[in-house]
Amino acid sequence: MLLLHNYLNNPCGTSSIPYWKQKETAVPNNMKIIHEKDYNCEAYKDYIDEPYFRLYHNMKKIQYEALSGVDIVSGISDIGEFVRLINESYNDLTVSKEQLEGYQRTSVFRSDLWITLKDKNSGKIIAGGIADYDRECGELILEWIQVLPSYRGRGYGKSVVNCLLTKMKGTAKFATVSGKINNSTNPEILYRKCGFTGNDIWHILIKKG
């Protein structure tokens, strides 16, 4: 069992997932989760490897600038809007309304950490983010950050991330985020531009067959 003080000493290096999930999640028998420092590809050749980065933000330097032409809306007026935004932003995954509703039943749920960016002219939702807050360890956890494909490269993703960080400055002690390394959109670049740091990589290994 991971102790809280050990986690706080090195959140991204001691666990592949946030502390609250670590307490509630059991690793399936066909899965192994290995940090890069302990990983040997030959030793795990019978497993399918999906590497993830995990990054850390100390919440001290946040550069948030409001973008013209968009409104930032906090809260959940229609959960279907978040479902549509996420599903239209990815080619390799989908979420359901039931999945997102499940997030609302967790101990780390905060409705004000669900935000959307709306185009002022069309009223269309073009970007958004979902984050959690673990009061026990003071951790802000970025879960879903997405921008519609046709609106990428304009700073909207950075705006979403920095908006969430700004909301929790003075409350959260630190923030974490993770994502697939083999992602064509290279989300790690975005997070590093927003002040996230670290070099922790976790290998999620699924037994073949």
Side-chain angles (χ1 to χ4, degrees):
M1 179 179 177
L2 178 62
L3 298 178
L4 178 58
H5 74 271
N6 290 334
Y7 180 77
L8 292 176
N9 284 337
N10 185 10
C12 298
T14 57
S15 177
S16 63
I17 55 178
Y19 181 70
W20 79 272
K21 286 185 180 180
Q22 181 74 32
K23 293 190 300 180
E24 300 182 9
T25 303
V27 178
N29 292 332
N30 68 332
M31 178 186 292
K32 292 184 182 295
I33 302 175
I34 308 293
H35 192 277
E36 175 72 13
K37 69 180 186 299
D38 301 314
Y39 179 70
N40 182 311
C41 61
E42 185 62 25
Y44 298 104
K45 61 184 179 181
D46 294 331
Y47 289 79
I48 298 170
D49 178 25
E50 184 71 76
Y52 282 75
F53 63 82
R54 192 154 190 249
L55 302 176
Y56 176 92
H57 198 295
N58 62 16
M59 301 296 291
K60 292 180 180 178
K61 187 177 181 181
I62 304 167
Q63 296 181 331
Y64 172 66
E65 296 180 7
L67 296 176
S68 61
V70 295
D71 289 320
I72 294 182
V73 181
S74 298
I76 310 165
S77 59
D78 179 4
I79 198 168
E81 292 179 334
F82 287 90
V83 175
R84 287 189 292 273
L85 174 63
I86 292 171
N87 289 340
E88 290 177 14
S89 297
Y90 299 96
N91 294 321
D92 60 342
L93 61 83
T94 58
V95 298
S96 66
K97 180 180 178 182
E98 290 72 26
Q99 282 178 278
L100 294 193
E101 287 175 339
Y103 285 15
Q104 297 175 283
R105 295 190 289 271
T106 67
S107 61
V108 294
F109 168 71
R110 276 184 50 157
S111 61
D112 62 322
L113 297 179
W114 291 49
I115 66 172
T116 53
L117 265 63
K118 288 189 177 182
D119 184 289
K120 286 184 178 181
N121 293 322
S122 66
K124 182 178 182 179
I125 294 176
I126 60 175
I130 296 174
D132 299 322
Y133 178 60
D134 182 355
R135 293 171 179 81
E136 183 177 5
C137 61
E139 179 179 10
L140 172 66
I141 306 143
L142 304 191
E143 288 286 358
W144 292 97
I145 307 295
Q146 53 281 316
V147 179
L148 291 178
S150 59
Y151 289 87
R152 290 172 185 163
R154 307 185 199 180
Y156 296 130
K158 187 176 181 181
S159 183
V160 170
V161 172
N162 283 331
C163 177
L164 290 169
L165 293 172
T166 300
K167 276 177 170 288
M168 297 303 289
K169 187 174 184 179
T171 300
K173 297 176 182 176
F174 64 98
T176 60
V177 68
S178 63
K180 290 183 180 181
I181 289 179
N182 300 320
N183 186 324
S184 60
T185 62
N186 295 316
E188 185 177 352
I189 295 175
L190 163 65
Y191 299 127
R192 291 191 182 278
K193 286 181 178 178
C194 295
F196 282 84
T197 61
N199 297 295
D200 289 291
I201 296 173
W202 290 87
H203 295 265
I204 311 302
L205 303 161
I206 306 294
K207 187 76 171 180
K208 294 178 181 178

